[in-house]
Amino acid sequence: MLNFALRKQRLVRTAQDALKALRASAVVALPEYQRCAQQQRSFAAGPSFEYEPDYSKKHDIVRKSGVDVLHDPLYNKGTGFPHAERERLGVRGLLPPGTLSMERQAARVLDDYQYGRDFIDPSHVKDGGVTKDHTRQWKVLQELQDRNETLFYKVLLDNFTTMAPIVYTPTVGWACLNYHKLYRRPRGMFFSANDKDEMSAMIWNWPAQEVDAIVVTDGSRILGLGDLGLNGLGISIGKLDLYCAAAGFHPARVLPCVIDVGTDNEALRNDPMYMGLQHPRLQGDAYFELLDEFVEAVMSRWPKTVLQFEDFQLQYAHTLLQRYKNQHLVFNDDIQGTAATALAGVYGALKVQGKEAHSLTQQRIVVLGAGSAGMGVSTMMAQGMVKHGLDFEDAAKLFWILDKNGLITRKRPDEELTDVTRPFAAVGEDDIEGESLLDVVKRVKPSILIGLSGAGPLFTPEVLTAMGECNERPIIFPMSNPTYRSECTSDDAQKYTGNTNNRLQVKVPKDSR
């Protein structure tokens, strides 16, 4: 009985405490309820402002989409389309990823109006680079291509020899350097890191149902000009203009592309007119994931197209070629195109010297430049030697490769050697690691000297004289682009090797193949 009485007492006390708490909460909540009631009465009385319609705002219904919008002068806003509008109008991927306001675009027009747009470095002119005539002619052809592409190719085909240097090198290098300043109308497609997981949908914004050739760059090493980011699209456009004019591709069935993964060119990132991503380049898996998505997107829509990688830095060029070659028709112009041209040139030079093709295995070759082009040339020439009976290891011993740090040897730190350069690293004593070009030429006495450094006139008179002293008619290929980045001129090569009086006399061996 005692326990029952205690439990009853506790229950009564608990009930009393709960009642007190409820009364207290009701007192606190009452003011809030009163405020809500006041707000409801206020809403019932109507808004606190007058209805004043603004008929000055005009809204147009755009019934076009894709390239039709960009080609319509009434609706085109250039790079001023917000990203939401780009998605709705189907122009995503048809414009650079960066958005420039109409005010900033107007500033660019006024700058052009007041000062023109040459953007020429005077030092490049005297070195054989772009002149004002080149830029004037480039503008004429660009405006013609935008206005009447049929007439553009008619004129280009009829004057190909004189116009090829305007459409491509050296003038295309100037166009890429200044693409963000020269931009007026989009050509090709723009893919960027901002488009991750969206590329397979974006690719359908391109109007052509059939595409035979795609040239894509990531802008990492345009010609000999370095990292130009989004501006590298100019090289894809120029290359395909040549393919259409000289190789018979239909202009409506080619697609120039750029993949914007950022740029390490700080000057470009800080330029208010630059239309690319404003962050450093992606590296590692993030880079390859983006490239994989791009390749899968374009090849899923056009599975029979040839995909050409253009001006990718050595770090990725060979890897990308190996990564996709077993699934898709892929090609790297720096590794394969430049290399095939160089090998053909060497065979031609040997014929001029009256030698047979298999004498390639007897040549000693110095290559200045260990980038994708330099290593591509070295690899293909070594493969040519293999065709004539050498094994690859012995062929690689006939090459001496130099980069910005001098001769590459097995003494070079392993982390500085790639899978491509390692087989060509010279074997020798410590004192030849990093050896200068002149010292290599004097010691090795090469028969062939190839320049793919993109660093300017490194084939100095002393180097050329040394080549002439150890060869009656040396083979010298200064192959860097653009022109002012070439290792030497043909006049200098003839002058300093002592071959100014030699005429081109081709001696064709009877058994030449």
Side-chain angles (χ1 to χ4, degrees), residues 102-178:
M102 297 301 286
E103 290 74 19
R104 187 160 291 178
Q105 293 182 69
R108 181 168 55 192
V109 172
L110 289 175
D111 186 63
D112 186 14
Y113 176 80
Q114 294 171 347
Y115 306 109
R117 46 180 172 145
D118 285 328
F119 312 119
I120 297 175
D121 186 335
S123 65
H124 296 170
V125 176
K126 64 182 178 61
D127 292 333
V130 173
T131 67
K132 289 187 176 181
D133 280 342
H134 287 128
T135 62
R136 176 182 56 80
Q137 293 162 352
W138 180 87
K139 293 171 196 172
V140 170
L141 291 178
Q142 286 297 302
E143 290 165 0
L144 175 59
Q145 189 175 22
D146 287 340
R147 185 175 68 252
N148 187 337
E149 196 156 12
T150 302
L151 181 57
F152 167 79
Y153 281 109
K154 161 68 175 171
V155 172
L156 181 56
L157 280 168
D158 291 347
N159 303 274
F160 188 77
T161 303
T162 57
M163 289 185 175
I166 307 303
V167 172
Y168 202 58
T169 57
T171 313
V172 72
W174 164 85
C176 289
L177 280 170
N178 300 288

Side-chain angles (χ1 to χ4, degrees), residues 103-289:
E103 290 74 19
R104 187 160 291 178
Q105 293 182 69
R108 181 168 55 192
V109 172
L110 289 175
D111 186 63
D112 186 14
Y113 176 80
Q114 294 171 347
Y115 306 109
R117 46 180 172 145
D118 285 328
F119 312 119
I120 297 175
D121 186 335
S123 65
H124 296 170
V125 176
K126 64 182 178 61
D127 292 333
V130 173
T131 67
K132 289 187 176 181
D133 280 342
H134 287 128
T135 62
R136 176 182 56 80
Q137 293 162 352
W138 180 87
K139 293 171 196 172
V140 170
L141 291 178
Q142 286 297 302
E143 290 165 0
L144 175 59
Q145 189 175 22
D146 287 340
R147 185 175 68 252
N148 187 337
E149 196 156 12
T150 302
L151 181 57
F152 167 79
Y153 281 109
K154 161 68 175 171
V155 172
L156 181 56
L157 280 168
D158 291 347
N159 303 274
F160 188 77
T161 303
T162 57
M163 289 185 175
I166 307 303
V167 172
Y168 202 58
T169 57
T171 313
V172 72
W174 164 85
C176 289
L177 280 170
N178 300 288
Y179 180 82
H180 58 299
K181 304 173 186 175
L182 298 168
Y183 178 87
R184 292 298 178 273
R185 183 176 179 176
R187 185 175 293 275
M189 287 200 76
F190 305 81
F191 297 85
S192 77
N194 291 345
D195 301 317
K196 193 172 186 335
D197 300 326
E198 301 290 341
M199 293 184 188
S200 59
M202 285 171 52
I203 197 66
W204 291 93
N205 288 339
W206 188 251
Q209 296 304 309
E210 299 292 336
V211 169
D212 298 322
I214 298 172
V215 176
V216 62
T217 183
D218 67 351
S220 56
R221 54 156 301 277
I222 300 301
L223 300 173
L225 304 172
D227 183 355
L228 298 185
L230 179 103
N231 286 9
L233 179 64
I235 204 73
S236 301
I237 294 171
K239 183 74 71 170
L240 285 171
D241 285 343
L242 288 188
Y243 288 176
C244 292
F249 282 86
H250 194 291
R253 295 168 66 106
V254 297
L255 174 57
C257 294
V258 63
I259 301 179
D260 185 2
V261 298
T263 177
D264 293 334
N265 187 330
E266 191 171 350
L268 268 183
R269 294 204 306 263
N270 294 333
D271 192 314
M273 294 299 176
Y274 182 60
M275 299 169 289
L277 300 183
Q278 306 286 329
H279 60 67
R281 303 185 70 83
L282 296 180
Q283 302 289 344
D285 286 349
Y287 177 88
F288 286 111
E289 287 172 3

Side-chain angles (χ1 to χ4, degrees), residues 308-435:
Q308 175 176 324
F309 295 102
E310 182 73 17
D311 284 354
F312 282 71
Q313 59 184 331
L314 178 63
Q315 179 183 359
Y316 294 123
H318 284 270
T319 304
L320 293 173
L321 194 61
Q322 297 300 316
R323 186 173 181 82
Y324 305 122
K325 70 176 185 179
N326 293 327
Q327 287 81 26
H328 308 296
L329 183 59
V330 294
F331 170 70
N332 187 298
D333 190 40
D334 304 299
I335 296 173
Q336 297 165 296
T338 302
T341 302
L343 181 58
V346 167
Y347 278 133
L350 292 174
K351 186 178 289 188
V352 169
Q353 293 177 343
K355 299 177 181 178
E356 298 181 0
H358 64 74
S359 65
L360 177 66
T361 60
Q362 301 164 14
Q363 307 306 307
R364 299 166 68 81
I365 304 172
V366 169
V367 179
L368 180 63
S372 56
M375 297 315 303
V377 167
S378 301
T379 300
M380 185 164 287
M381 286 193 177
Q383 291 170 343
M385 294 177 179
V386 171
K387 290 288 186 181
H388 295 296
L390 290 183
D391 60 42
F392 191 86
E393 184 177 353
D394 289 337
K397 293 177 182 178
L398 296 175
F399 290 80
W400 288 263
I401 314 295
L402 293 89
D403 63 6
K404 63 182 180 180
N405 297 318
L407 180 66
I408 298 175
T409 73
R410 297 290 174 87
K411 301 296 183 181
R412 182 74 61 95
D414 192 64
E415 63 272 12
E416 296 182 20
L417 295 175
T418 66
D419 292 339
V420 183
T421 57
R422 189 172 287 106
F424 293 92
V427 178
E429 303 298 328
D430 290 343
D431 56 0
I432 68 169
E433 165 62 36
E435 193 173 27

Side-chain angles (χ1 to χ4, degrees), residues 347-355 473 503-509 512:
Y347 278 133
L350 292 174
K351 186 178 289 188
V352 169
Q353 293 177 343
K355 299 177 181 178
R473 299 190 73 179
R503 292 186 178 181
L504 183 63
Q505 296 179 348
V506 180
K507 300 177 182 178
V508 182
S512 178

Side-chain angles (χ1 to χ4, degrees), residues 87-106:
E87 200 70 56
R88 290 200 304 271
L89 295 173
V91 296
R92 184 174 183 177
L94 304 181
L95 293 169
T99 301
L100 298 186
S101 66
M102 297 301 286
E103 290 74 19
R104 187 160 291 178
Q105 293 182 69

